[in-house]
């Protein structure tokens, strides 16, 4: 007949706290690398190159250079991390928390922020300087062509 | 003269992890013949290779099955590396074998729980799965996913596991081993478990050879076709490897083989974690598979030997990708093992081949 | 690292039955059968291993009209793959040990794997099964 082989484990189970957590009442503590959801945390540095959208295996990322937006379909994302590795400016981050259940599938779209007046001025100044450099280089090249070869 | 009835088993059945249908031809409680039907989880994943390029397809192969997920991404990556001649860094090979053996531990614990549930021992089922949670926590800590890891890609692994985490993994595996010791006695020595499993679904060694069955199903009938004996990839760095064999040939022998393989996997992980070299973990693939090239690969998954075939055509998309999984090979063995058994033993026998039907019909 | 050894050999369809018999006689283990679509038909690959070390892949070129002898009377485990190849590609295999006669996978279109999605397959074999799916140029194919 034999003894009850699971006696030790069952007795321990009677007097210790349960192994399960009452999710979602008790929020679990996720780990650092938990594949939760993808977020574009640094839209300012995003150059809208579209590498993330090209690498994505499911096609859930859409980058619109004209409208300056980056959007993701969170229910299409398989959290593989290809976009995070592909981004040249490290704007994309894999967050730990999972996408909340919802009643409809909606896309999350973020737009590049408007530049502040100082940034606009700095950008204009940089572009003006670049145009001046190009004009000077063109003038020097034309002058060299006009002179006889030495 | 006995009357023959046909009883349908599945596709919905409490013991089955995945849907399979068997038409059991029964004569007064004895099964005379079993006719299998599959196709309930057919997703046509092999045709998807025309839409996803070869670096993206690895994520599709991971999702063929939830239990052998890492094994498929590993086998696919190895096939493409063989096709394109890509060298994998040694640290990546160690990490891949460590993750694959962890995958084997989790798969066998899952199966032991399902086996216990099949003969009605629900307490044991829950204890096995509670131990398995520790392995899933290891997966989540190192790669981010509990079941689908997204950790292996062509050229190496995507995540590095530092040495401190490896020590933590070994410590957790010691805890797993202690808890597993406590419950293993119930599988091997308990009177009621033995009476349900002993002598049931017997396959002799010659039958096992004729039916070309693979995995623990074959090793329990003393037929060794363990691909790990070929010592490919990270397995070449092991001191020695002896597959676990048994010559019982019945359900109890299969349970014993799988139960002992958990210990063997834990030992392999500890051995490799102790001597893992430093270095990079990814050698990113450049270019595409050349036109007209083809390659095949075999890998030992928890359920048996898995065969992969890839054919390139000069573009980023593969021409053909074939994955032959162990359960499709074992279906012939299942049909023969079921002949002549009692109706009440059918769930036990179906479970002891460790059916992974989502793999069978990708 | 120990290198994986596999061989690929091509044999004509007439020699398939003798190959299967010789593999059975020498005690080789059967591994896999699968098919792939090529420009003028299909290529069936039969995989065996004689000594558990080298994987032998034997490839047979067939067209949709060829009758292929089944090897499942010799290797019972092959019935799964022969039924699958018949259902998904439409290759005519005769003498399968457990024959489902086209009903193994309950699929909604005939021979889905043989439906042409590439330009070079469009003029081939699949018209026998009425595949009228228009052929699209895939983005990225010309890379």
């Amino acid at each position: 007949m034999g003894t009850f082989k699971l006696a030790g484990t069952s007795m321990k189970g009677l007097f210790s706290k349960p192994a399960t957590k009452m999710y979602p009442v008790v929020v679990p503590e996720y780990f650092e690398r938990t594949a939760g959801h993808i977020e574009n945390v640094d839209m300012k540095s995003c150059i809208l190159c579209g590498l993330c959208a090209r690498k994505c295996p499911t096609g859930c990322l859409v980058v619109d250079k004209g409208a300056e937006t980056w959007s993701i379909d969170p229910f299409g994302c398989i959290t593989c991390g290809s976009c995070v590795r592909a981004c040249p400016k490290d704007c994309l981050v894999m967050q730990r928390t999972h996408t909340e259940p919802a009643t409809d599938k909606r896309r999350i779209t973020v737009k590049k922020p408007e530049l502040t007046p100082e940034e606009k001025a700095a950008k204009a100044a940089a572009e003006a300087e670049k145009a001046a450099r190009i004009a000077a280089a063109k003038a020097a090249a034309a002058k060299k062509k006009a002179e006889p070869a030495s | 003269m006995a009357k023959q009835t046909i009883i349908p088993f599945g596709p919905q059945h409490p013991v089955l992890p995945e849907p399979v249908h068997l038409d059991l031809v029964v004569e007064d409680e004895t099964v005379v013949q079993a006719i299998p039907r599959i196709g309930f989880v057919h997703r046509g994943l092999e045709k998807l290779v025309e839409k996803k390029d070869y670096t993206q397809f690895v994520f599709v192969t991971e999702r063929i099955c939830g239990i052998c997920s890492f094994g498929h991404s590993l086998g696919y990556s190895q096939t493409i590396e063989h096709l394109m001649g890509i060298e994998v860094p040694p640290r990546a090979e160690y990490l891949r074998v460590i993750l694959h053996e962890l995958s084997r531990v989790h798969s066998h614990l899952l199966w032991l729980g399902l086996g216990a549930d099949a003969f009605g021992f629900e307490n044991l089922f829950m204890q096995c799965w509670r131990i398995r949670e520790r392995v899933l926590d290891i997966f989540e800590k190192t790669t981010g996913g509990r079941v689908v890891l997204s950790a292996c890609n062509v050229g190496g692994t995507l995540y590095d596991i530092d040495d401190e985490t490896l020590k933590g993994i070994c410590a957790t595996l010691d805890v797993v081993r202690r808890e597993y010791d406590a419950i293993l006695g119930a599988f091997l020595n308990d009177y009621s478990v033995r009476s349900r499993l002993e002598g049931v679904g017997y396959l002799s060694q010659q039958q096992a050879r004729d039916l070309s069955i693979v995995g623990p199903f074959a090793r329990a009938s003393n037929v060794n076709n363990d691909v790990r004996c070929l010592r490919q990839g990270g397995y070449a760095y092991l001191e020695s490897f002896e597959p676990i064999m048994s010559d019982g040939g019945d359900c109890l022998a299969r349970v014993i083989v799988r139960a002992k393989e958990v210990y063997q996997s834990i030992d392999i992980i500890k051995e490799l974690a102790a001597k893992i070299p430093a270095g990079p973990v990814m050698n990113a693939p450049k270019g595409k598979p050349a036109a007209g090239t083809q390659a095949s690969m075999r890998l030992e998954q928890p359920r048996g030997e898995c065969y992969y075939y890839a054919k390139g055509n000069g573009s980023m998309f593969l021409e053909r990708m074939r994955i032959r999984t162990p359960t499709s090979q074992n279906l012939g063995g299942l049909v023969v093992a079921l002949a002549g058994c009692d109706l009440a033993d059918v769930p036990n026998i179906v479970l002891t081949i460790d059916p992974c039907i989502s793999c069978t019909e990708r | 690292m120990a290198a994986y050894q596999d061989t690929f050999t091509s044999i004509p369809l007439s020699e398939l039955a003798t190959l299967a018999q010789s593999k059975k006689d020498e005690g080789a283990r059967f591994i896999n059968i699968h098919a792939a679509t090529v420009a003028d038909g299909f290529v069936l690959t039969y995989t065996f291993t004689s000594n558990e070390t080298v994987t032998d892949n034997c490839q047979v070129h067939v067209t949709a009209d060829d009758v292929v002898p089944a090897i499942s009377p010799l290797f019972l485990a092959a019935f799964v793959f022969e039924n699958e190849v018949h259902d998904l590609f439409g290759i005519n295999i005769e003498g399968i040990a457990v024959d489902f006669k086209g009903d193994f996978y309950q699929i909604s279109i005939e021979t889905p794997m043989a439906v042409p999605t590439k330009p070079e397959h469009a003029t081939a074999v699949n018209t026998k099964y009425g595949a009228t799916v228009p052929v699209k140029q895939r983005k990225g194919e010309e890379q």
Side-chain angles (χ1 to χ4, degrees):
Chain A
M1 184 41 203
T3 55
F4 177 33
K5 295 287 180 300
L6 286 186
T9 323
S10 303
M11 284 300 140
K12 235 193 307 193
L14 263 181
F15 297 113
S16 60
K17 61 181 185 35
T20 51
K21 287 194 179 72
M22 271 195 54
Y23 181 86
V25 173
V26 171
V27 175
E29 207 182 286
Y30 293 116
F31 300 104
E32 184 197 321
R33 288 185 181 174
T34 301
H37 70 275
I38 295 283
E39 214 176 290
N40 190 336
V41 293
D42 195 1
M43 205 55 205
K44 219 169 163 96
S45 318
C46 174
I47 55 173
L48 300 165
C49 62
L51 272 172
C52 55
R54 266 194 282 276
K55 284 283 178 191
C56 176
T58 54
C60 64
L61 289 171
V62 174
V63 173
D64 192 344
K65 209 150 185 170
E68 291 198 340
T69 55
W70 175 94
S71 77
I72 182 170
D73 174 12
F75 292 102
C77 175
I78 58 172
T79 60
C80 64
S82 306
C83 53
V84 176
R85 287 184 288 273
C87 180
K89 296 287 173 193
D90 293 331
C91 306
L92 296 174
V93 168
M94 174 85 83
Q95 307 284 33
R96 298 177 205 200
T97 50
H98 294 278
T99 312
E100 293 283 311
T103 48
D104 57 343
K105 290 188 189 182
R106 70 278 187 272
R107 217 160 232 289
I108 298 178
T109 311
V110 278
K111 196 166 150 54
K112 257 181 98 71
E114 280 288 329
L115 298 170
T116 60
E118 299 89 36
E119 283 169 347
K120 277 195 184 142
K123 191 169 165 189
E127 277 181 13
E129 194 209 3
K130 187 173 166 188
R133 259 187 297 131
I134 291 176
K138 273 195 183 146
K143 195 166 157 199
K144 198 159 180 183
K145 220 160 102 175
E147 274 174 16
S150 51
Chain B
M1 194 189 73
K3 190 171 84 116
Q4 284 194 350
T5 348
I6 299 188
I7 297 184
F9 178 87
Q12 311 286 5
H13 196 280
V15 305
L16 290 175
E18 280 125 5
V20 67
H21 179 79
L22 289 169
D23 278 314
L24 303 168
V25 179
V26 172
E27 245 180 48
D28 285 350
E29 286 267 348
T30 318
V31 172
V32 166
Q33 200 189 6
I35 305 161
R37 288 301 282 282
I38 59 176
F40 299 97
V41 201
H42 180 69
R43 292 153 286 168
L45 294 179
E46 290 185 350
K47 193 137 174 88
L48 202 53
V49 80
E50 299 176 4
K51 293 258 176 196
K52 308 282 173 203
D53 71 40
Y54 74 94
T55 49
Q56 293 171 337
F57 194 70
V58 68
F59 302 114
V60 175
T61 54
E62 277 183 327
R63 285 160 174 80
I64 289 178
C65 170
I67 317 174
C68 12
S69 159
F70 185 77
H72 281 306
S73 65
L74 175 58
Y76 172 80
S77 303
Q78 282 182 333
T79 316
I80 304 297
E81 284 149 15
H82 188 54
L83 183 73
M84 293 172 63
I86 300 174
E87 274 288 316
V88 179
R91 191 179 171 92
E93 289 188 345
Y94 275 78
L95 285 178
R96 279 175 166 184
V97 171
I98 289 176
L99 285 171
H100 193 212
E101 291 299 318
L102 275 172
S103 185
R104 193 183 308 273
V105 169
H106 119 81
S107 167
H108 283 329
L109 282 171
L110 185 154
W111 180 81
L112 283 168
L114 289 181
D117 196 35
F119 46 76
F121 203 155
E122 283 193 21
N123 188 9
L124 196 54
F125 162 51
M126 288 190 248
Q127 296 292 343
C128 284
W129 281 51
R130 184 179 57 81
I131 299 173
R132 179 180 164 249
E133 281 297 311
R134 296 195 189 274
V135 178
L136 296 182
D137 278 344
I138 294 177
F139 280 147
E140 197 173 1
K141 214 184 299 186
T142 52
T143 61
R146 279 163 53 97
V147 172
V148 172
L149 310 185
S150 294
C152 190
N153 208 330
V154 179
T157 58
L158 295 172
Y159 294 98
D160 196 0
I161 305 180
D162 57 1
D163 293 328
E164 199 187 302
T165 318
L166 280 172
K167 286 202 186 59
I169 290 177
C170 293
T172 312
L173 286 176
D174 284 330
V175 176
V176 164
R177 186 183 221 135
R178 265 204 316 275
E179 294 179 340
Y180 184 60
D181 282 335
I183 63 163
L184 195 57
F187 273 109
L188 303 182
N189 301 321
D190 193 83
Y191 172 74
S192 33
V193 171
R194 283 190 99 103
S195 67
R196 287 245 28 203
L197 294 180
E198 212 156 2
V200 168
Y202 177 72
L203 273 186
S204 68
Q205 189 180 35
Q206 188 52 43
Q207 278 177 309
R209 266 198 239 278
D210 289 338
L211 295 165
S212 327
I213 55 179
V214 293
F217 187 35
R219 292 201 279 281
S221 296
N222 213 9
V223 171
N224 177 25
N225 37 38
D226 196 329
V227 182
R228 290 178 287 174
C229 293
L230 292 182
R231 311 292 218 95
Q232 289 160 205
Y235 292 104
Y237 303 112
L238 291 173
E239 284 288 326
S240 67
F241 177 77
E242 284 303 320
I244 298 191
M245 310 275 283
S246 163
D247 49 12
D250 57 1
C251 285
L252 184 64
R254 295 169 203 144
V255 170
I256 291 175
V257 166
R258 289 193 179 99
K260 289 189 181 161
E261 282 191 355
V262 172
Y263 287 122
Q264 187 187 42
S265 294
I266 295 180
D267 288 335
I268 290 177
I269 296 169
K270 290 178 115 167
E271 183 185 336
L272 288 181
K275 54 185 192 181
I276 186 169
V281 288
M282 171 57 102
N283 176 11
K286 297 184 182 35
K288 15 189 145 142
T293 46
Q294 46 187 359
S296 69
M297 172 61 61
R298 288 195 282 143
L299 179 73
E300 181 75 12
Q301 288 213 355
R303 276 154 193 78
E305 168 217 61
C306 204
Y307 168 83
Y308 300 86
Y309 167 87
K311 186 165 161 189
N313 63 1
S315 74
M316 290 292 278
F317 301 90
L318 288 172
E319 170 84 17
R320 175 82 170 104
M321 179 71 204
R322 164 69 173 182
I323 302 168
R324 191 281 276 148
T325 51
T327 309
S328 29
Q329 188 85 335
N330 289 340
L331 276 179
L334 173 68
V335 165
V336 169
L338 279 175
C341 73
D342 276 340
L343 185 60
D345 291 330
V346 168
N348 286 334
I349 299 176
V350 169
L351 264 189
T352 48
I353 67 163
D354 211 349
C356 189
I357 307 294
S358 351
C359 287
T360 310
E361 355 150 343
R362 312 121 252 121
Chain C
M1 172 180 126
Y4 173 76
Q5 293 160 308
D6 55 348
T7 64
F8 285 92
T9 47
S10 247
I11 59 170
L13 178 58
S14 49
E15 282 177 30
L16 179 61
T18 42
L19 171 82
Q21 188 62 51
S22 69
K23 291 286 183 192
K24 177 85 180 172
D25 292 335
E26 71 184 18
R29 181 166 65 92
F30 164 76
I31 292 181
N32 182 38
I33 304 177
H34 75 270
T37 318
V38 290
D40 54 346
F42 307 101
V43 170
L44 277 168
T45 309
Y46 289 79
T47 312
F48 300 92
T49 176
S50 306
N51 53 4
E52 298 293 342
T53 319
V54 181
T55 313
D56 297 311
N57 299 289
C58 311
Q59 299 190 300
V60 183
H61 192 113
V62 296
T63 62
D65 300 317
D66 282 337
V67 172
V68 181
I71 69 169
S72 41
L74 294 171
F75 297 100
L76 180 61
F79 82 87
V80 176
F81 308 108
E82 292 181 336
N83 275 299
E84 181 188 346
V85 159
H86 173 82
D87 285 356
L88 294 180
F89 287 85
I91 299 177
N92 198 353
I93 305 190
E94 211 173 55
I96 309 179
V98 182
D99 198 349
F100 287 82
K101 301 215 176 356
D103 211 15
F104 195 44
Y105 283 19
Q106 294 96 357
I107 43 186
S108 62
I109 55 173
E110 290 272 335
T111 70
M113 293 288 285
V115 168
T117 49
K118 288 184 225 237
E120 56 268 24
H121 297 163
T123 54
V125 0
N126 315 303
T127 50
K128 175 179 177 187
Y129 296 95
T132 51
V133 176
V135 176
K136 298 195 292 191
Q137 261 294 349
R138 273 183 298 121
K139 197 165 51 144
E141 178 139 301
E142 59 277 358
Q143 279 171 358

